[in-house]
């Protein structure tokens, strides 16, 4: 099953929604380069829908997410009455397919928060609950925008959360849970000395298994994640404190200022001092 990953934040932005009824012989319109995502959820009948080389037979309780830059078309007309909700939304950052090649170790950068991962097509775990949310969007569509704006975004976020594969118990495997536990541990203890061996003692698994779990969920090893997280924390300290390089290096777990400076330059393309200076009034950034 193909999964679509959307970077968050910023969260996807709700635009509009509606409810359509097709009779026998009706077809979904063919479109290309729509420029926004089109999410459809079937409540009755069958809709035959395609995107590029993919074709779906969407029956009651199923949904599909059509991508903004692809060609969408009717595979064939409806054979009987078909009812479905539709919803348009946009994102600031581009989507990626979950199976796309992950960054190499040298290219890895810590995600600021994470991703929303949606199977592009599938069965809804709670059709009645989803229909209730979509019905609420329909009610809000005919109220004053000054009143409805914020609630529309909240309801839309609830729809995505319901579909998001990471929230489904059958998808949240032991691998996911262990990777999340490792991530939480690294964030709590990033200033301490951490090694593969110490992680193995904490989680009672071989370092290779811990590495495989992290790579599957986060695309990097535990120590690569730790390294990137330390860099992110050092950026905050450079901006929010006047601490020396020695002090910041110690606080984030690098211990040696020279090593910290080299790691920071490799990750950011400029030294810690230059990074700090570019955000000060009248600051100029020296060449790297």
């Amino acid at each position: 099953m193909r999964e679509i990953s959307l970077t968050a934040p910023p969260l996807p932005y709700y635009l509009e929604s509606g409810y359509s009824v097709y009779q026998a012989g009706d077809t979904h319109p063919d479109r290309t380069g729509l420029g926004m995502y089109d999410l459809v959820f079937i409540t009755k009948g069958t809709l035959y829908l395609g995107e590029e080389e993919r074709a779906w037979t969407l029956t009651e309780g199923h949904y599909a997410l059509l991508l903004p830059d692809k060609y969408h078309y009717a595979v064939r007309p409806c054979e009987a009455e078909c009812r479905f909700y539709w919803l348009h939304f946009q994102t600031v950052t581009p989507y990626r397919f979950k199976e796309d090649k992950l960054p190499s170790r040298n290219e890895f950068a810590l995600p600021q928060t994470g991703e929303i991962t949606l199977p592009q097509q599938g069965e809804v775990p709670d059709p009645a609950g989803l229909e209730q949310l979509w019905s609420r969007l329909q009610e809000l569509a005919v109220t004053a925008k000054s009143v409805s704006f914020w609630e529309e975004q909240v309801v839309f976020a609830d729809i995505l959360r319901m579909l998001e594969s990471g929230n489904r118990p059958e998808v949240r495997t032991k691998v996911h849970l262990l990777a999340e536990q490792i991530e939480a541990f690294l964030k709590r203890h990033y200033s301490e000395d951490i090694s593969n061996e110490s992680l193995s003692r904490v989680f009672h698994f071989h370092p290779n298994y811990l590495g495989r779990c992290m790579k599957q969920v986060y695309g990097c090893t535990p120590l690569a994640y730790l390294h990137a997280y330390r860099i992110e924390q050092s950026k905050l300290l450079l901006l929010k404190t006047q601490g020396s390089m020695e002090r910041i290096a110690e606080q984030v777990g690098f211990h040696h200022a020279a090593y910290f400076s080299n790691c920071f330059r490799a990750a950011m393309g400029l030294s810690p001092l230059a990074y700090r200076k570019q955000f000060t009034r009248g600051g100029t950034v020296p060449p790297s």
Side-chain angles (χ1 to χ4, degrees), residues 29-44:
D30 295 354
R31 296 176 299 201
T32 186
L34 189 62
M36 51 191 170
Y37 296 85
D38 188 2
L39 182 63
V40 296
F41 165 52
I42 313 302
T43 60
K44 180 181 178 181

Side-chain angles (χ1 to χ4, degrees), residues 21-226:
V21 179
Y22 285 3
Q23 302 300 327
D26 290 345
T27 61
H28 191 275
D30 295 354
R31 296 176 299 201
T32 186
L34 189 62
M36 51 191 170
Y37 296 85
D38 188 2
L39 182 63
V40 296
F41 165 52
I42 313 302
T43 60
K44 180 181 178 181
T46 303
L47 185 65
Y48 303 96
L49 198 57
E51 180 183 86
E52 303 289 349
E53 76 284 357
R54 295 174 179 269
W56 301 301
T57 299
L58 303 175
T59 57
E60 181 177 335
H62 286 74
Y63 77 94
L65 175 60
L66 304 177
L67 300 177
D69 56 347
K70 303 297 183 183
Y71 170 54
H72 315 136
Y73 56 93
V75 174
R76 69 187 198 194
C78 294
E79 298 171 347
E81 183 181 79
C82 176
R83 297 173 176 262
F84 62 94
Y85 287 99
W86 57 266
L87 183 154
H88 293 158
F89 70 91
Q90 289 181 328
T91 59
V92 175
T93 54
Y95 67 86
R96 74 174 182 88
F97 299 119
K98 195 68 175 177
E99 67 268 22
D100 286 352
K101 178 182 177 295
L102 293 167
S104 68
R105 168 63 185 87
N106 292 333
E107 296 170 331
F108 176 74
L110 184 72
Q112 295 300 306
T113 54
E115 294 178 324
I116 299 170
T117 301
L118 301 170
Q120 190 175 9
Q121 182 274 328
E123 185 174 4
V124 174
D126 180 11
L130 185 60
E131 187 166 0
Q132 185 176 6
L133 290 172
W134 233 301
S135 295
R136 181 55 183 158
L137 284 180
Q138 301 311 110
E139 295 171 1
L140 292 169
V142 294
T143 61
K145 199 66 176 178
S146 60
V147 175
S148 65
F149 175 79
W150 290 110
E151 188 177 348
E152 283 178 336
Q153 301 302 326
V154 171
V155 174
F156 168 55
D158 285 340
I159 289 175
L160 290 186
R161 181 170 57 185
M162 184 176 289
L163 298 179
E164 211 273 326
S165 62
N167 289 332
R168 297 184 183 179
E170 68 271 21
V171 175
R172 294 181 62 79
T173 63
K174 292 180 179 179
V175 169
H176 284 79
L177 295 175
L178 179 56
E180 290 176 352
Q181 291 169 4
I182 296 170
E183 178 197 28
F185 179 86
L186 295 174
K187 287 182 174 180
R188 289 195 301 269
H189 301 279
Y190 70 91
S191 63
E192 304 171 13
D193 291 328
I194 297 176
S195 65
N196 286 323
E197 290 70 26
S198 65
L199 289 174
S200 180
R201 289 192 294 271
V202 170
F203 293 100
H204 309 292
F205 285 105
H206 192 278
N208 290 346
Y209 179 71
L210 299 180
R212 287 199 300 272
C213 291
M214 283 292 288
K215 280 189 174 182
Q216 180 173 329
V217 177
Y218 294 104
C220 65
T221 66
L223 295 189
Y225 191 98
L226 174 63

